[in-house]
Amino acid sequence: MAKIQTQCPRCKAPVVAEIEQLFDLNVNPQAKQRLLSGQVNVIHCPACGYEGMLGTPVVYHDPEKELLLTFVPSELGLPANEQEKLIGPLLNQVMNKLPPEKRKAYLLRPQTMFTFQTLIERVLEADGITRQMIDEQQKRLNLLQRILSTPQAESRLEIIKQEEALIDASMFSLLTRLIESALAQGDERGARVLAAIQKELLDNTTIGQEIKNQSEEAQQAVQMLQEAAKEGFTRQKLLDLVIQTAESDVKLSTIVSMTRNGMDYTFFQMLAERIEQASDEEKTRLENLRQKLLDFTRKVDEQIQLQLEDSRKLLNQILAAENVETATQEHLGELDAYFVEVLQQELNAARSNGDLDRIAKLQRVNGVLEQASAPPPELALIEQLLEAPSYDERMKLLQEKSEMVTPEFVQMLSALIAQSEEQQPPEVVTALKEIYRIALRVSMMSALNQ
């Protein structure tokens, strides 16, 4: 980013602003997110408090989608030849950063966008997000805002009834994302309010009832799997279970998603044998079941492949960053089991190729992951205390670590005891209660000695 001095559009006071004119995903895959965030090329006037977007030429390049867009604000009042002088150097930077084999014809035909909003919409359109989809999402947001700003339950239900056509699966997806975002930001009150609205929509709309029924069926399938696994889960048990749930696509797809590894060649061979032994009517039913299973497993495999590809792109993006550790930390919330699998694959490939530089970078990513997944020191201490053989050993350990025996630590122990009473063996609960009493005593002794 470059810093320039300009004037505030409102009070004409001098303002220093950071501008970014080239968003080249070839150089920085995060450039698209910055552009779409609406926080680039914004000026803040300390004199009058004005905040708005600065009119500046912009070039956007996405080599994967063969997209090269240019925008020059009309308020600059520049003739075509002057616009070309501003845009030309940016286009040259795009070309120079590409290796010769990746320089394609689309680079010679940049698309001119007449407004910044048109530029944004074109970027979204390349991702499969149409103008209609944007408008519909905005309508959902407006409806959600109306509901949130209506305190009376009866009035909210009336709005829901009037606007039920807008309340679809996308609305529930939007609410789920908003709830997750609120929780991630520590806004528990906001998350509870949104969750309450979500429940009202589930209880009072047709699509809500459908989603509830599907959720209940999926939960039943999970419980059936848990019951079947109590005495050891085999392919034969899995086959019996899918035959039992064949009439419910929701149960069947849930079971497939959770047991995909077990639905291998041997499993389908067992199903084929069952089909051969069945009567005509049963044979038709089982053949239909086999086709459903093949369709569901294919969809699961496709989804897994997409997630692995996304994880590989994210890993390459992290490795291309100037500081690998910082980039990994910034994306910790996105690093799931698929990412870990890809990371291990890339490590193995780098070792096979003897690529020491790549191995070092991958190990740095792995180091951040290991550090992030390590249990908090308080939990590690509780594990040590549980392993201690006697009351005296636990007392000694807690006295040595007395600086960790804070009110928060004591509260954590209390919460663990409450959870463990239903989930852990009695001896674990007894040990935790003893540790709790010792922690209270050490805490009081520390307070008296201060």
Side-chain angles (χ1 to χ4, degrees), residues 122-136:
R122 183 68 185 88
V123 172
L124 292 172
E125 183 183 341
D127 287 340
I129 302 172
T130 65
R131 176 72 251 178
Q132 182 181 357
M133 293 166 67
I134 296 171
D135 290 342
E136 289 175 351

Side-chain angles (χ1 to χ4, degrees), residues 18 26 30 34 39-40 62 114 116 138 146 153 175 178 197 199 221 241 251 275 278 326 377 381 383 401 424:
E18 288 188 342
N26 173 56
Q30 294 178 333
R34 287 203 306 278
Q39 298 303 307
V40 295
D62 184 343
F114 294 104
F116 188 76
Q138 188 59 52
R146 279 182 64 197
L175 268 167
L178 290 172
I197 296 299
K199 186 176 185 308
L241 191 56
K251 289 181 181 178
I275 291 172
T326 300
L381 176 58
E383 289 178 3
K401 302 281 188 179
Q424 297 292 342

Side-chain angles (χ1 to χ4, degrees), residues 314-444:
L314 178 56
L315 176 59
N316 289 332
Q317 177 182 328
I318 290 171
L319 295 177
E322 186 174 340
N323 188 311
V324 171
E325 286 87 351
T326 300
T328 307
Q329 288 283 358
E330 289 173 352
H331 291 280
L332 272 178
E334 304 168 55
L335 310 188
D336 53 15
Y338 296 102
F339 184 89
V340 173
E341 183 178 342
V342 168
L343 177 61
Q344 192 57 54
Q345 289 174 1
E346 293 298 317
L347 264 172
N348 293 337
R351 287 167 180 155
S352 298
N353 297 330
D355 190 340
L356 298 181
D357 181 60
R358 190 169 177 82
I359 291 171
K361 286 185 176 182
L362 290 165
Q363 290 285 22
R364 284 154 66 187
V365 175
N366 196 50
V368 175
L369 279 176
E370 288 180 351
Q371 185 177 1
S373 61
E378 292 83 2
L379 282 180
L381 176 58
I382 291 171
E383 289 178 3
Q384 283 183 271
L385 290 163
L386 285 170
E387 292 171 2
S390 66
Y391 179 96
D392 291 339
E393 288 291 326
R394 287 169 177 160
M395 173 63 83
K396 180 181 177 183
L397 183 55
L398 273 175
Q399 286 175 331
E400 290 172 354
K401 302 281 188 179
S402 59
E403 73 282 357
M404 293 181 64
V405 187
T406 62
E408 291 78 15
F409 180 78
V410 174
Q411 187 175 0
M412 179 186 291
L413 277 169
S414 177
L416 274 176
I417 292 169
Q419 294 173 14
S420 300
E421 285 179 338
E422 294 183 359
Q423 302 172 4
Q424 297 292 342
E427 57 270 22
V428 174
V429 178
T430 301
L432 283 170
K433 288 180 177 179
E434 181 177 275
I435 293 167
Y436 177 74
R437 290 193 294 272
I438 297 172
L440 282 175
R441 182 176 175 185
V442 170
S443 178
M444 287 188 289

Side-chain angles (χ1 to χ4, degrees), residues 76-296:
L76 296 181
L78 298 175
N81 62 328
E82 292 297 325
Q83 292 185 25
E84 289 175 5
K85 286 181 182 179
L86 288 175
I87 291 294
L90 300 174
L91 295 175
N92 288 336
Q93 286 185 52
V94 170
M95 187 74 78
N96 293 337
K97 292 289 185 180
L98 282 169
E101 66 274 11
K102 291 188 177 181
R103 296 174 185 175
K104 299 181 181 180
Y106 76 92
L107 295 167
L108 304 175
R109 299 188 301 273
Q111 302 174 45
T112 302
M113 303 289 109
F114 294 104
T115 68
F116 188 76
Q117 183 59 34
T118 306
L119 173 69
I120 297 297
E121 290 174 7
R122 183 68 185 88
V123 172
L124 292 172
E125 183 183 341
D127 287 340
I129 302 172
T130 65
R131 176 72 251 178
Q132 182 181 357
M133 293 166 67
I134 296 171
D135 290 342
E136 289 175 351
Q137 189 75 329
Q138 188 59 52
K139 288 177 182 177
R140 293 186 191 98
L141 284 168
N142 293 341
L143 172 58
L144 185 56
Q145 187 58 47
R146 279 182 64 197
I147 295 172
L148 286 168
S149 59
T150 304
Q152 299 84 9
E154 296 83 357
S155 300
R156 287 198 303 273
L157 292 178
E158 187 61 31
I159 293 172
I160 291 169
K161 183 178 178 181
Q162 291 172 356
E163 303 291 350
E164 187 167 353
L166 272 178
I167 302 169
D168 55 8
S170 297
M171 172 67 94
F172 286 100
S173 298
L174 172 63
L175 268 167
T176 299
R177 291 196 302 272
L178 290 172
I179 291 169
E180 290 172 351
S181 176
L183 289 171
Q185 295 172 20
D187 183 8
E188 293 185 11
R189 180 182 176 280
R192 285 197 299 271
V193 171
L194 289 166
I197 296 299
Q198 187 179 56
K199 186 176 185 308
E200 285 188 353
L201 296 180
L202 284 169
D203 291 341
N204 297 284
T205 63
T206 303
I207 185 66
Q209 290 299 310
E210 290 177 7
I211 291 172
K212 280 181 66 176
N213 292 337
Q214 290 173 1
S215 177
E216 289 169 2
E217 284 194 64
Q219 187 57 43
Q220 288 169 11
V222 171
Q223 291 171 353
M224 293 169 77
L225 281 170
Q226 292 171 342
E227 287 296 322
K230 282 184 177 178
E231 297 178 1
F233 202 52
T234 63
R235 287 184 180 84
Q236 186 59 56
K237 283 189 176 182
L238 178 57
L239 179 57
D240 292 339
L241 191 56
V242 297
I243 291 174
Q244 180 184 346
T245 58
E247 305 309 316
S248 169
D249 285 357
V250 174
K251 289 181 181 178
L252 205 57
S253 62
T254 302
I255 291 170
V256 171
S257 67
M258 298 184 70
T259 62
R260 174 64 185 94
N261 290 339
M263 294 185 179
D264 52 12
Y265 175 80
T266 302
F267 172 84
F268 280 100
Q269 192 174 37
M270 292 168 60
L271 177 54
E273 291 171 359
R274 187 76 68 93
I275 291 172
E276 289 176 7
Q277 298 166 6
S279 61
D280 290 344
E281 185 177 346
E282 180 67 5
K283 181 178 291 188
T284 301
R285 192 175 81 88
L286 292 176
E287 286 174 343
N288 291 337
L289 170 62
R290 178 169 61 186
Q291 187 56 53
K292 280 186 182 180
L293 290 174
L294 289 170
D295 291 342
F296 286 144

Side-chain angles (χ1 to χ4, degrees), residues 16-35:
V16 175
E18 288 188 342
I19 65 165
E20 186 172 4
Q21 295 178 311
L22 179 57
F23 298 84
D24 189 356
L25 275 62
N26 173 56
V27 177
N28 186 350
Q30 294 178 333
K32 178 166 70 173
Q33 297 308 318
R34 287 203 306 278
L35 178 70

